[in-house]
Each structure stands twice: as C-alpha cells, then as structure tokens.
C-alpha cells in the first residue's frame, strides 16, 4: 500500500439558513485546494491496492457506502476505482506511462482524479505519479540504412546516420551505441542539450571499390536500465567508383589467320580489354591509332563498342598476304584513360573457284514404259582451278532412291540413263539434282536440279475394293431401289481412268440378269428392276465388270451375291381340317369321350421363312372353356373332362393360327361339334374319314404287296443314282420353289402329314393300318400336295355294312 499525507478541512453547516449557501461554497473550494499524492510504477497488475483512501482522508469506512463515494477521472479511461467496503484505491486497468505521457521532455507523469462524497458533499483531489520502468527497447526508425561513399573519400570524414529512439526516460533511455568490427569505419557519440545521444559514422582508412564494393555494418543502441535493453540496425555502405584504373588488353600482340575471299561481315576476332572501374569509368571504346594504314582500315571494320574486327572489303591472298593493326581502348571517365595492342593478320590461300555444271540435250518428259538405258540428258562439268582443286566428281543427290544412273562418256561429259522400270502411279515426276564437288581443301561444290515428268500409259486395270459383295435385299422392294454403290478405282490418268460399269449377262430361270438388275455405267450404282419374292427366289449370283477407256482398254470384274430377305407377307393356310373360305366345319363326336381324348387337330402352313412361319394356335371363341383344351404348338384339340348331361349338344370352336412375323398374320377356322350317343360322325368336307378299326382285308393285302414292289423299285433307283453321282461332278442345286419349301419344311406334323412321295404314302398306309388306323390321302387346294390323315383307334366306331362299304369305296378311289 502506498502512503501519503493530507490536511482535510471539515464543513460544518450553521443552523441559520441564510448562511448555508456561503458556507457550502467556501467548504467545497477549500477541499478542492487540498491534493493527495501517490507514486506507483507503471504496468503493475490489475487489482493491486494503491492506498487506503478512507484512512488517508480521515473518513469512516462504514459510511462510505451511505455517502456514495465515487472516483471522477480526468482521463477518458478509468484506470482506478474505490472499494466502498474497505476504502482501498485499487488498479482497475494496467497503466502505461508512455501512453499517458508520450512527451519525453516532461520528467514526471501524473494521473489526476477527484474523490467525491455526499451528505455532506466533500471533494478530495488525488494525484497518482506514474514511475517509469525499463519496458521499452531502443528502436531504429529504419532497420537498414544505405550510405553511398566515394572511394576517393579521405580518412576522418563523418557521415550522419539515423539515431535510435527509446520511449523510456531517465536512465532507462539510450545510453550508448556500438558498431560491429570494421577495418574502415568507426562511430562518434555526441549528446544533445536534452541528453539525447547522437551518433556519426567516421571513415578510418581509405576505401578501394575494386577490392570491396560493399561494406555491411551492424549498429547497436543500448539503454542504462536495470535490465538493459538494446536495438540494432544494418548499415550498408556502397563504395562509389572513381576513374583510377586504365583499360588493359589480355595480350599486347595478337596473331590471327584469315582465309582469303572471306565474305563481308565475317568476324575475324573480338578484342576484349578490361577496366577495373565501373559505370562510365569502365565503358570502353575501340579505335585504330595513326599507325594503322588506310588500306587496312578499308579491308576491315572495327566496332567501337564491342571491339569486333570484321571483314569489310575483298580479301585476296594474291594481293596482300598479311595486315598489321594498332588498336586503342579508351574509357569514358571525366579524365579518360587508355590502353593499346597490336594485331597481326595472316591470309591463308584456299580453293576459291567453284565447279560449274551445264545440262545439255534434256528431255522434260518421258513415258512410264520407257526402256532401261534410255538417255534423258547429257551433262558437262568443269572447274577453273588447277591440281586437286580442279578435279571434280559428279553425283546424283539421293541416287539410291532414283531409277536413274550417270554414265561417264568422256572426261567432262556424263549421260543420265534410265536404270529401273518407271511407274507413274508411284512417282509422277522426279526432281533430279546433279551435285558436283572438287577435291580441294576445303572442297567447293555446286548443284543443278532438273524436273522430269513421267507420262501415263494404260498399264493398270480397274480394281474393286472387294472381289465379292454380299447385298441383302428385303423382298417386296420397290422397282428402281438403289441396292449398293459398287465403284472401282483406276490409278491411271485421264481417259485411262475413266470407267464404265456393266452387268455380265447370265440367264436365271430363262430371265436375263439385265432384266432383274441395272447398274449406272458412270458411278456403279446398282438398282433393282423388279420386286423380288423370297418364296420364289432367294438369291442371285452374277458378275459386274468395270472397264477403263484406255487403248487398249483394261477391265476387271467382281461377284455380286444378292440375298433376298423374307418378309412376313404370307398368312398361315389351314389345311386340316380344310374347308372353303368362311364355311363352318361340322364334326360329330360321341358323348362318351374320355378326358384327354383328341377331338380334332388343326394344321396350318405358312410359306414364309422359318422364323415367320412358326405358327401357334389359340381359341378365338369357345362355347365352354372348361370342356376343351388347345395345344398352342401342334393344334390338337382335346377334352379336358368327360361330357355331362348339363353340357349342350352343340359346341362351337373358333380357332386362330398365328405366325411369328412382325406384324403377325393369322387364319381362323370355325368347327361346329355335335355330340351324339354311340354314333360315328360322318366327315363333311374334311380330310379325316372315320372307318372301322378291323380293316385288314383283301384290299389292304393288295396294298402291302404293291408297297413292297414300289419300295424295291425305289431302292434300285437310289442305288443307280448313287453310282451316277460318284461318276459325275455334283451339279449346282437349283433354287427351290415355294411348293418344295412347304413339302420339305412340313414333311411330318404329328399324326397328320403333308407329303408328295407316293412311296412314302404307301409306307405310311401300311404302318398306320397295322396300328389299327386307316390312312386316307386327299389332294390339297391348288394342287399344292396331298394331305394324309390317320384315324385313331379310339374314334373308330361300329356302323352298318353299307356305311363301311361306301367308306372303303371312297378310300379305294383315292388310292393311286
């Protein structure tokens, strides 16, 4: 706690009211003249107690709160406050003396405040002296100071530098300066009237820029506090140059060789004089002295800035064999200094005459079929030099890639001949370069280029990109449809490359190819002249020829394979049970049919390709869905249960056969089924005829004997055909027609079959008869083939002999 003394005055209010105002004013004025002073160091911690104002001012601690004691600061910031419970004056915020009193000329720094209490009102003046501590280090205004000092400066010369600044006062401020070790510099300290220390840089010894151009020094400022602080700054001294060094050449005499006939501007040599100075004192200019002859100055130029000596005139060894030059280098200082050297130049003789080439009897063009040994040109060479310099060699540039050769006919004459076959399509012209070179050292050379054009002959036939083209064409195309562009290429020129296309004639089914296809003779576009039908003709094979217009013409051909692609343009044809278009098929069956018994079998055929002819069957309408089932793949209609008395006598089935095309096509058949009790239904306009099961009669015996005979004959015929096939080459398979396709694809379909072979029919008849079935063959509509039906045992019912006889007669009349 910091202590201080004070002389307080008390104010006693008189009882008389008229004297209250005067006495109160007098008391306040007396208190304002009393000052209590305290001293504290700066930067003490917040909360530190400065003094007990209640004790120092003679106040009752218990009444401080009641009398509303408060502290009125003169400054903006509130650094201190009063504890109303203890009367202590304590630090509220750290105090920085340098902030409160920035002026160093004032030695003391005070913080003034008023203590005000009420009831009665009393005012106490309090002054707090802030004592300085060494909390600031010396600082230079610039961390680096640059000085330019001439190397001609004399020892003892002084140079002002920037001083350091310390915010502290008294002994805490700057006390002295120190300079880093230096051979050439020292410092001198001086004090101002206010005690501020000033420092000057003093030169001790002479400077030499050529030895050391820059001096780096460290200046340190130190205060005199209890814990001394310091600050540093760098001093960079740049030594300025003076012209105290003359230019010098690295040699006094230079010797150089120069070849005669050196071109103008040729660099002979570059002089390099040096000056230890810098700036303009080191900038040099070169010049001839008066000892250099005018003839020499006419032949050579000297660059005044770079010192380059270059050829200016014609240098001829036969005229002058050597030159002498006297050259001076001078700097650009205020008092220029100079240096001299001597250059001896010796001229070397050389081969200075070029060989010459003359082309005579030249052919500018030649046909590509020219014979080997054909003369194209005659060339002569010569060189005006003598000895080895006059001997020349003539060659062809890049001769290994040229189909030509040089033949020496005399000492100075050469012939250019064809050495390999020419091909204009590979190279249409040649740039032939003759290169001549003498045997001097160094050798001289010359060249001459001629252009030879190769003329075209018709030696190339047209070429198709492919020898075999396969073209897919969808059937039902429009006549005139573009099928493909079959263009060939001929590498010849002009009329030799103009091509004409045509179809090579060929007969197919008594029809010429030119009736089916057409080709544009100019561009090779192939067109279809008719609408193709996949079911009639599936492919065409023919040749197309391309012929040029040369003399004689060249031609080539290629093979075209036209493949007709199928469209789904044929609807299925229902062949079993068959009926006229739109008519209803009536069928009678017994009501005693078991579950799973086959009622009928719908067979449909499609003349399209395999994918489009894949047929599926489905009910379009059925009287009772629970009574019948339809196999969607083979068309069999079977019972799903036995007939009951509730089932109606008549059943109507509408069955559709749909192919697998896109879009699909279909055909329908309507079957009216009549159920009866133990009665065989007569087939009405159908291909299935019910017969008695036990029919192995004399007729069947005759048929078996006939079938055996036919089978034997068929076997003998097959053996003969095999022998003939082995002796003759296999003929080309003729294109199949629509009927044959149908018969091949549908040779057997479950129990009902479309066939065209009588032998096969007899075999089927015998086999089915042994199984207890009767087989009947009946022609299909439009003569497309025969439909064969077999009747299962389960539906062969007993009937009258009249009915059996009529059935046999119908069957016998149908046999071949």
């Amino acid at each position: 706690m910091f202590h201080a003394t004070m002389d307080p005055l008390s104010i006693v209010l008189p009882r008389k009211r008229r004297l209250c105002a005067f006495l109160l004013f007098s008391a306040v004025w007396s208190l304002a003249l009393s000052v209590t002073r305290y001293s504290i160091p700066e930067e003490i911690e917040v909360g530190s107690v400065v003094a007990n104002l209640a004790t120092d001012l003679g106040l009752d601690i218990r009444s401080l709160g009641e009398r509303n004691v408060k502290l009125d600061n003169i400054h903006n910031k509130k650094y201190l406050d009063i504890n109303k419970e203890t009367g202590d004056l304590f630090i509220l915020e750290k105090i920085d003396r340098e902030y409160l009193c920035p002026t160093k000329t004032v030695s003391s720094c005070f913080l003034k405040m008023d203590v005000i209490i009420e009831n009665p009102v009393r005012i106490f003046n309090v002054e707090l002296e802030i004592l300085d501590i060494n909390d600031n280090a010396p600082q230079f205004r610039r961390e680096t100071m640059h000085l330019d000092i001439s190397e001609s400066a004399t020892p003892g010369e002084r140079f002002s530098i920037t001083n350091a600044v310390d915010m502290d006062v008294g002994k805490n401020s700057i006390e002295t300066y120190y300079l880093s070790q230096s051979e050439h510099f020292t410092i001198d300290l001086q004090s101002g009237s206010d005690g501020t220390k000033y420092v000057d840089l003093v030169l001790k010894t002479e400077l030499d820029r050529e030895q050391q151009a820059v001096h780096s020094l460290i200046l340190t400022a130190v205060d005199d506090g209890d814990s001394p602080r310091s600050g540093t700054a760098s001093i960079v001294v740049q030594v300025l140059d003076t012209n105290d060094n003359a230019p010098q050449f690295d040699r006094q005499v230079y010797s150089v060789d120069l070849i005669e006939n050196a071109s103008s501007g040729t660099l002979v040599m570059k002089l390099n004089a040096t000056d230890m100075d810098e700036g303009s004192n080191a900038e040099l200019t070169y010049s001839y002295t008066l000892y250099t002859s005018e003839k020499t100055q006419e032949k050579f130029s000297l660059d005044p800035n770079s010192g380059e000596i270059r050829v200016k005139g014609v240098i001829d060894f036969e005229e002058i064999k050597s030159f002498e030059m006297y050259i001076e280098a001078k700097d650009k200082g205020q008092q220029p200094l100079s240096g001299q050297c001597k250059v001896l130049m010796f001229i070397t003789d050389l081969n200075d005459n070029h060989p010459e080439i003359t082309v005579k009897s030249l052919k500018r063009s030649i046909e590509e079929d020219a014979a080997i040994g054909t003369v194209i040109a005659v060339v002569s060479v010569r060189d005006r030099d003598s000895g080895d310099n006059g001997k020349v060699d003539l060659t062809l540039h890049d001769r290994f890639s040229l189909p030509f050769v040089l033949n020496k006919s005399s000492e100075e004459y050469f012939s250019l001949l064809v050495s390999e076959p020419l091909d204009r399509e590979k190279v249409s012209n040649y740039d032939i370069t003759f290169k001549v070179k003498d045997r001097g050292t160094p050798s001289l050379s010359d060249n001459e280029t001629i252009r030879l054009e190769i003329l075209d002959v018709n030696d190339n036939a047209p070429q198709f990109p492919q020898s075999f083209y396969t073209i897919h064409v969808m059937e039902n195309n429009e006549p005139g449809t573009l099928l493909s562009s079959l263009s060939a290429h001929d590498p010849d020129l002009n009329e030799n490359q103009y091509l004409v296309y045509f179809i090579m004639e060929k007969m197919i089914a008594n029809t010429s190819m030119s009736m089916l296809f057409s080709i544009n003779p100019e561009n090779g576009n192939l067109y279809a002249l008719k609408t193709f039908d996949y079911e009639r003709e599936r492919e065409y094979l023919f040749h197309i020829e391309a012929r040029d217009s040369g003399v004689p013409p060249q031609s080539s051909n290629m093979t075209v394979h036209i493949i007709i692609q199928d469209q789904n343009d044929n609807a299925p044809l229902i062949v079993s049970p068959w009926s006229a278009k739109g008519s209803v098929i009536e069928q009678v069956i017994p009501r005693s049919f078991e579950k799973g018994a086959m009622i009928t079998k719908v067979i449909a055929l499609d003349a399209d390709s395999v994918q489009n002819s894949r047929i599926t069957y489905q009910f379009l309408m059925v009287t009772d869905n629970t009574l019948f089932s339809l196999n969607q793949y083979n068309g069999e209609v079977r019972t799903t249960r036995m007939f009951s008395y509730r089932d109606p006598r008549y059943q109507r089935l509408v069955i559709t056969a749909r192919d697998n095309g896109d879009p699909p096509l279909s055909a329908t058949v309507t079957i009216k089924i009549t159920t009866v009790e133990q009665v065989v239904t007569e087939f009405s306009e159908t291909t299935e005829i019910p017969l008695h099961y036990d029919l192995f009669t004399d007729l069947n015996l005759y048929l078996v004997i006939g079938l055996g005979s036919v089978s034997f004959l068929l076997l003998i015929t097959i053996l003969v055909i095999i022998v003939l096939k082995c002796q003759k080459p296999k003929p080309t398979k003729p294109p199949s027609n629509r009927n044959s396709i149908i018969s091949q694809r549908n040779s057997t379909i479950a129990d009902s079959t479309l066939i065209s072979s009588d032998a096969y029919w007899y075999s089927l008849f015998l086999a089915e008869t042994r199984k207890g079935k009767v087989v009947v063959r009946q022609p299909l509509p439009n003569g497309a083939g025969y439909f064969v039906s077999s009747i299962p045992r389960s539906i062969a019912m007993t009937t009258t002999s009249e009915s059996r006889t009529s059935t046999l007669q119908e069957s016998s009349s149908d046999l071949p």
Side-chain angles (χ1 to χ4, degrees):
M1 181 180 290
F2 304 92
H3 298 280
T5 58
M6 184 188 71
D7 297 328
L9 296 177
S10 300
I11 301 176
V12 180
L13 296 176
R15 295 180 178 179
K16 294 181 179 181
R17 295 182 178 223
R18 57 190 179 95
L19 297 178
C20 286
F22 178 77
L23 293 178
L24 178 61
F25 176 77
S26 299
V28 171
W29 181 256
S30 299
L31 287 175
L33 295 178
S34 300
V35 178
T36 303
R37 289 185 174 88
Y38 300 99
S39 297
I40 62 171
E42 63 176 330
E43 302 291 344
I44 63 175
E45 295 297 327
V46 174
S48 300
V49 177
V50 176
N52 190 288
L53 288 178
T55 303
D56 294 341
L57 299 178
L59 301 175
D60 187 4
I61 296 176
R62 291 172 295 179
S63 64
L64 292 179
E66 298 175 356
R67 300 183 67 180
N68 193 20
V69 63
K70 61 181 179 179
L71 190 65
D72 186 15
N73 291 290
I74 298 176
H75 294 80
N76 293 331
K77 287 187 177 182
K78 187 175 182 181
Y79 291 101
L80 297 100
D81 201 356
I82 300 174
N83 190 331
K84 296 180 180 180
E85 295 180 356
T86 61
D88 291 336
L89 179 66
F90 63 93
I91 301 297
L92 191 64
E93 184 179 345
K94 276 189 177 183
I95 301 173
D96 186 2
R97 180 188 182 281
E98 287 73 28
Y99 176 79
L100 289 176
C101 305
T103 304
K104 292 186 64 175
T105 54
V106 179
S107 58
S108 299
C109 180
F110 291 95
L111 180 62
K112 297 180 180 182
M113 62 198 80
D114 294 332
V115 178
I116 303 173
I117 58 177
E118 299 176 355
N119 301 321
V121 176
R122 300 184 65 184
I123 299 175
F124 301 92
N125 292 331
V126 178
E127 290 185 355
L128 183 63
E129 182 180 9
I130 308 302
L131 303 178
D132 183 45
I133 63 174
N134 192 19
D135 58 343
N136 292 281
Q139 289 185 347
F140 288 90
R141 294 184 179 89
R142 289 183 295 173
E143 294 182 357
T144 303
M145 293 175 281
H146 295 272
L147 293 178
D148 294 332
I149 302 176
S150 174
E151 64 176 330
S152 61
T154 58
E157 191 169 345
R158 306 170 70 91
F159 305 95
S160 298
I161 55 178
T162 304
N163 296 324
V165 175
D166 195 330
M167 298 299 295
D168 296 325
V169 295
K171 69 174 184 177
N172 293 330
S173 63
I174 297 174
E175 178 64 21
T176 186
Y177 290 88
Y178 298 100
L179 184 67
S180 60
Q181 185 67 31
S182 175
E183 177 185 354
H184 299 281
F185 295 96
T186 186
I187 56 174
D188 182 30
L189 297 179
Q190 295 183 5
S191 298
S193 57
D194 58 351
T196 303
K197 300 292 191 300
Y198 298 96
V199 61
D200 289 335
L201 186 67
V202 181
L203 180 65
K204 292 195 302 183
T205 59
E206 292 183 351
L207 300 174
D208 189 349
R209 190 203 62 79
E210 288 71 32
Q211 291 184 358
Q212 186 175 356
V214 178
H215 298 266
S216 297
L217 307 174
I218 301 297
L219 181 63
T220 303
V222 182
D223 60 25
D224 194 26
D226 294 335
S227 298
R229 292 175 176 265
S230 62
T232 60
S234 299
I235 302 175
V236 179
V237 178
Q238 185 76 35
V239 181
L240 303 180
D241 182 55
T242 58
N243 193 19
D244 56 349
N245 293 281
Q248 291 183 353
F249 290 93
D250 53 359
R251 281 187 286 176
Q252 291 296 316
V253 179
Y254 294 90
S255 179
V256 62
D257 295 327
L258 178 65
I259 298 175
E260 69 166 326
N261 296 326
S263 60
S264 179
T266 300
L267 178 64
V268 178
M269 68 174 299
K270 182 178 181 179
L271 296 173
N272 185 21
T274 57
D275 194 319
M276 299 297 292
D277 296 322
E278 69 174 1
S280 61
N281 297 328
E283 295 178 5
L284 304 180
T285 57
Y286 299 88
S287 62
Y288 291 116
T289 68
L290 297 177
Y291 298 106
T292 304
S293 65
E294 294 182 359
K295 187 68 174 179
T296 301
Q297 295 184 34
E298 291 176 358
K299 297 290 184 181
F300 300 96
S301 64
L302 175 63
D303 191 303
N305 297 318
S306 64
E308 293 180 347
I309 301 175
R310 295 182 179 272
V311 175
K312 184 168 64 173
V314 177
I315 308 300
D316 192 354
F317 175 82
E318 288 73 25
E319 181 183 356
I320 301 177
K321 294 180 175 56
S322 64
F323 296 89
E324 290 186 2
M325 303 177 187
Y326 297 90
I327 298 174
E328 178 184 67
K330 183 182 295 185
D331 63 29
K332 296 181 180 180
Q334 292 183 353
Q335 296 179 353
L337 301 177
S338 63
Q340 293 79 29
C341 73
K342 180 180 180 180
V343 178
L344 298 178
M345 191 173 300
F346 300 96
I347 307 303
T348 302
D349 189 23
L350 79 165
N351 181 24
D352 56 349
N353 290 289
H354 291 264
E356 299 176 356
I357 302 174
T358 304
V359 180
K360 301 179 180 180
S361 183
L362 173 64
K363 291 183 179 179
R364 297 291 182 181
S365 61
I366 188 173
E367 292 185 346
E368 61 178 323
D369 59 351
I372 295 176
T374 302
V375 178
I376 298 173
V378 177
V379 182
S380 66
V381 294
R382 70 188 185 97
D383 194 322
R384 292 180 298 172
D385 292 328
S386 59
D388 289 340
N389 294 334
K391 295 179 180 180
V392 296
D393 298 312
L394 180 65
T395 57
L396 292 177
H397 177 68
D398 201 12
R399 61 188 178 88
F400 295 106
S401 63
L402 296 175
F404 309 106
V405 67
L406 283 173
N407 184 27
K408 189 174 183 180
S409 55
S410 65
E411 186 64 28
E412 296 182 353
Y413 286 88
F414 295 83
S415 298
L416 181 64
L417 309 176
V418 176
S419 62
E420 298 176 11
L422 303 177
D423 190 350
R424 188 210 61 81
E425 286 70 37
K426 292 183 178 179
V427 182
S428 61
N429 57 72
Y430 292 91
D431 289 328
I432 305 172
T433 301
F434 300 99
K435 187 173 183 180
V436 63
K437 184 177 182 181
D438 62 25
R439 299 180 185 178
T441 304
S443 62
L444 296 178
S445 62
D446 196 7
N447 59 71
E448 181 73 20
T449 301
I450 62 172
R451 168 160 287 201
L452 179 64
E453 182 179 0
I454 308 301
L455 302 179
D456 182 51
V457 296
N458 192 24
D459 57 345
N460 291 280
Q463 295 293 328
F464 287 94
Q466 299 172 221
S467 61
F468 191 91
Y469 280 82
T470 300
I471 303 174
H472 296 271
V473 181
M474 189 67 69
E475 67 171 330
N476 302 318
N477 60 291
E478 291 290 336
T481 301
L482 175 64
L483 303 182
S484 181
S485 181
L486 309 173
S487 59
H489 172 69
D490 193 323
D492 292 324
L493 286 179
N494 302 327
E495 67 275 358
N496 294 331
Q497 71 171 174
Y498 296 149
L499 303 182
V500 178
Y501 302 89
F502 57 91
I503 299 175
M504 300 179 68
E505 285 298 337
K506 180 182 177 182
M507 301 296 291
I508 297 180
N510 297 326
T511 304
S512 173
M513 281 292 105
S514 59
M515 301 297 292
L516 301 175
F517 302 97
S518 173
I519 190 168
N520 189 315
E522 296 182 356
N523 56 25
N525 288 344
L526 183 64
Y527 298 90
L529 296 182
K530 60 166 289 185
T531 299
F532 297 110
D533 189 352
Y534 172 83
E535 288 72 32
R536 292 183 179 273
E537 197 70 39
R538 298 188 179 183
E539 60 181 10
Y540 297 93
L541 194 67
F542 56 91
H543 301 284
I544 291 178
E545 181 175 311
R547 181 180 298 169
D548 62 26
S549 303
V551 179
Q554 300 270 10
S555 65
S556 64
N557 60 71
M558 49 84 67
T559 303
V560 178
H561 185 201
I562 303 293
I563 298 177
I564 308 301
Q565 294 182 328
D566 183 45
Q567 276 187 338
N568 191 27
D569 56 347
N570 291 280
L573 175 63
I574 297 177
V575 298
S576 177
W578 184 84
S579 65
K581 185 176 182 180
S583 62
V584 177
I585 299 172
E586 296 185 359
Q587 187 170 340
V588 179
I589 62 173
R591 296 180 68 87
S592 61
F593 263 10
E594 297 290 335
K595 175 183 178 182
M598 186 172 72
I599 304 301
T600 186
K601 182 171 184 177
V602 179
I603 300 174
L605 301 178
D606 194 317
D608 290 322
S609 62
V610 177
Q611 184 68 20
N612 292 328
S613 65
R614 189 177 300 165
I615 297 175
T616 57
Y617 303 89
Q618 61 183 13
F619 283 126
L620 195 62
M621 187 182 72
V622 60
T623 304
D624 190 347
N625 290 328
T626 65
L627 188 56
F628 302 101
S629 66
L630 173 63
N631 190 310
Q632 64 174 340
Y633 298 110
N634 59 21
E636 292 181 351
V637 179
R638 295 181 181 271
T639 58
T640 58
R641 59 178 175 81
M642 294 185 65
F643 287 93
S644 66
Y645 68 93
R646 294 187 184 91
D647 294 325
R649 180 180 179 185
Y650 300 101
Q651 300 287 336
R652 185 182 182 88
L653 306 179
V654 180
I655 300 173
T656 179
R658 183 186 301 269
D659 62 22
N660 196 40
D662 185 16
L665 301 177
S666 62
T668 60
V669 61
T670 302
I671 301 174
K672 181 180 179 182
I673 299 176
T674 303
T675 59
V676 297
E677 298 293 338
Q678 301 299 324
V679 177
V680 177
T681 306
E682 294 184 1
F683 284 80
S684 176
E685 297 183 4
T686 66
T687 59
E688 296 187 24
I689 303 175
L691 298 177
H692 191 267
Y693 163 70
D694 189 10
L695 294 176
F696 197 77
T697 60
D698 294 339
L699 176 62
N700 291 344
L701 180 61
Y702 297 148
L703 290 176
V704 170
I705 295 172
L707 180 60
S709 301
V710 173
S711 300
F712 178 78
L713 292 176
L714 179 61
L715 180 61
I716 296 299
T717 303
I718 292 175
L719 292 175
V720 172
I721 292 174
I722 292 174
V723 172
L724 293 177
K725 291 290 184 179
C726 294
Q727 293 178 355
K728 296 180 180 181
K730 185 177 181 181
T732 305
K733 181 181 178 181
S736 58
N737 55 34
R738 183 182 302 181
N739 294 335
S740 63
I741 296 172
I742 297 174
S743 62
Q744 292 173 9
R745 182 169 63 247
N746 302 285
S747 59
T748 58
I749 306 176
D751 292 333
S752 299
T753 308
L754 181 68
I755 60 175
S756 60
S757 173
D758 291 339
Y760 183 84
W761 188 87
Y762 284 120
S763 299
L764 182 63
F765 181 90
L766 181 59
E768 295 298 313
T769 303
R770 289 174 179 174
K771 296 177 183 178
K773 301 178 182 179
V774 173
V775 178
V776 178
R777 186 179 69 164
Q778 187 171 346
L780 287 173
N782 301 326
Y786 297 95
F787 179 75
V788 180
S789 297
S790 61
I791 303 173
R793 180 187 304 175
S794 59
I795 64 172
M797 307 299 295
T798 305
T799 185
T800 62
S801 60
E802 182 181 353
S803 176
R804 181 183 304 143
T805 303
S806 63
T807 304
L808 285 174
Q809 289 176 355
E810 182 179 356
S811 177
S812 299
S813 65
D814 202 21
L815 294 177

